[in-house]
Amino acid sequence: MEARTIELIGVPMDSGKRRQGCLMGPDALRTAGLLQALADLGHSVSDRGNVSPAAFTEDTSGRLHALQETIAWTRTLSDVAQGVPATSVPIFMGGDHALALGTVRGVANAAAQHDRPLFVLWLDAHTDYHTPQTTASGNLHGTPMGYVTGRPGFEGFPEITHPIRHDHIAMLGLRSVDTEERAALEPSDVTYIDMRHIDEHGIATPLASFLDRVAQADGLLHVSLDVDFLDPSVAPAVGTTVPGGATIREAHLVMEMICDSRLMTSLDIVELNPFLDERGRTAQLMVDLVASAFGRRVFDRPTRAY
Ligand SMILES: [Mn+2]
């Protein structure tokens, strides 16, 4: 693929759920060699260091976990994401999935400024389509898709001025969807591909048709990769393990197809909890997957000059 300018942005965010550890995610990805892996592919890569949230005062009386901290992160990350030049591809190194409240809002605003439609590919065991009212756990990492599509009930969060259209969203790898989320998603135009569908039809066909739609619309593509998209036997470093996830090869194929499409304009790597990892194997796998999305051919390495 042609050389890209890539900005690594560390997001040590841990407020989206109660189990702690994702704040170490950015450093685990650095330690696993993310920058060098991308530079070796011929890309121009810089590490912007870690982002910090705007000042906040937590109110622990409510049902929602770390609401004010999450709102503060959302404000900051939205500004950071919106400010990335259109010539660069930002990789947001999480951090838990609540970071997508900010990153997707920000890239949606930037897309609107450039008059381009934004599409979102959500690679996850979960739909994360809750609102602060519907989440039973009170963990806001289950709400980013609800937020960026403009669902109501996000009091205190920055207003969504450019909601993501439901027909611009594909969710891949689903295998744990709450009743309320299913009821809200089923009548919508979201493309949701659960693991049974992947078992029966493969992962390439639904992904190819989504990528075709993005290309037809001359759209920008934000990819949000949750560690729990993968089966926990190959990616144990995540707090929300659900058996029956994507295999290593399925995940690489998704990344290789994203690479071939040349459509991806921003990427989240989320929910990596190094505290739960086994000798860094999950962090290493995530680095390998990102490299596939930027041109590395892991299982077929022809001799090639970059
Ligand atoms: Mn998620």
Side-chain angles (χ1 to χ4, degrees):
M1 90 187 287
E2 80 279 20
R4 311 281 298 263
T5 301
I6 300 169
E7 297 190 21
L8 306 182
I9 300 172
V11 186
M13 179 176 186
D14 233 352
S15 65
K17 72 265 164 283
R18 286 168 176 82
R19 189 201 284 263
Q20 299 296 283
C22 289
L23 88 172
M24 297 184 282
D27 283 338
L29 293 169
R30 291 182 176 106
T31 305
L34 180 57
L35 189 148
Q36 195 60 47
L38 294 169
D40 286 348
L41 294 165
H43 302 294
S44 170
V45 196
S46 58
D47 187 340
R48 288 177 47 177
N50 287 351
V51 175
S52 302
F56 64 93
T57 305
E58 199 53 76
D59 168 9
T60 53
S61 65
R63 195 176 58 83
L64 300 170
H65 175 69
L67 172 63
Q68 296 307 321
E69 182 177 355
T70 304
I71 290 173
W73 271 111
T74 301
R75 290 187 188 288
T76 299
L77 288 171
S78 183
D79 290 346
V80 168
Q82 191 171 347
V84 174
T87 49
S88 295
V89 183
I91 299 179
F92 299 98
M93 304 183 293
D96 67 51
H97 220 160
L99 71 80
L101 293 156
T103 61
V104 178
R105 181 182 186 274
V107 296
N109 288 350
Q113 277 178 344
H114 294 101
D115 218 12
R116 300 276 298 278
L118 179 70
F119 290 71
V120 175
L121 177 62
W122 200 257
L123 303 170
D124 202 315
H126 311 89
T127 58
D128 296 344
Y129 193 65
H130 274 295
T131 75
Q133 278 72 45
T134 67
T135 167
S137 68
N139 292 336
L140 290 164
H141 71 161
T143 66
M145 287 312 284
Y147 177 59
V148 299
T149 53
R151 296 192 78 189
F154 286 86
E155 278 82 33
F157 284 85
E159 191 190 342
I160 292 293
T161 43
H162 300 288
I164 310 293
R165 287 171 48 155
H166 284 93
D167 61 344
H168 286 185
I169 297 167
M171 298 174 168
L172 238 62
L174 304 177
R175 57 199 186 279
S176 174
V177 181
D178 292 343
T179 307
E180 197 282 336
E181 292 177 294
R182 196 182 65 207
L185 276 169
E186 268 176 347
S188 82
D189 292 324
V190 169
T191 300
Y192 47 89
I193 308 295
D194 62 21
M195 286 309 301
R196 173 167 179 180
H197 187 102
I198 293 169
D199 289 343
E200 292 195 54
H201 305 285
I203 207 164
T205 309
L207 178 60
S209 78
F210 179 68
L211 293 172
D212 275 351
R213 282 199 280 134
V214 181
Q216 294 288 328
D218 190 27
L220 306 179
L221 177 63
H222 180 83
V223 177
S224 207
L225 172 59
D226 190 315
V227 171
D228 74 20
F229 170 65
L230 288 138
D231 191 83
S233 63
V234 295
V238 67
T240 50
T241 51
V242 191
T247 65
I248 286 183
R249 191 50 223 156
E250 283 168 336
H252 271 295
L253 179 58
V254 168
M255 295 299 142
E256 289 156 0
M257 291 175 65
I258 288 169
C259 176
D260 291 348
S261 78
R262 302 172 182 227
L263 289 167
M264 184 171 70
T265 44
S266 48
L267 172 65
D268 306 321
I269 305 293
V270 302
E271 297 286 345
L272 175 66
N273 185 339
F275 212 61
L276 306 175
D277 209 355
E278 297 165 359
R279 302 177 75 91
R281 63 189 283 227
T282 311
Q284 190 61 60
L285 175 58
M286 300 314 281
V287 167
D288 287 341
L289 289 172
V290 176
S292 281
F294 285 92
R296 189 200 282 169
R297 294 172 180 274
V298 174
F299 291 84
D300 170 27
R301 293 171 182 262
T303 304
R304 56 196 294 201
Y306 291 106

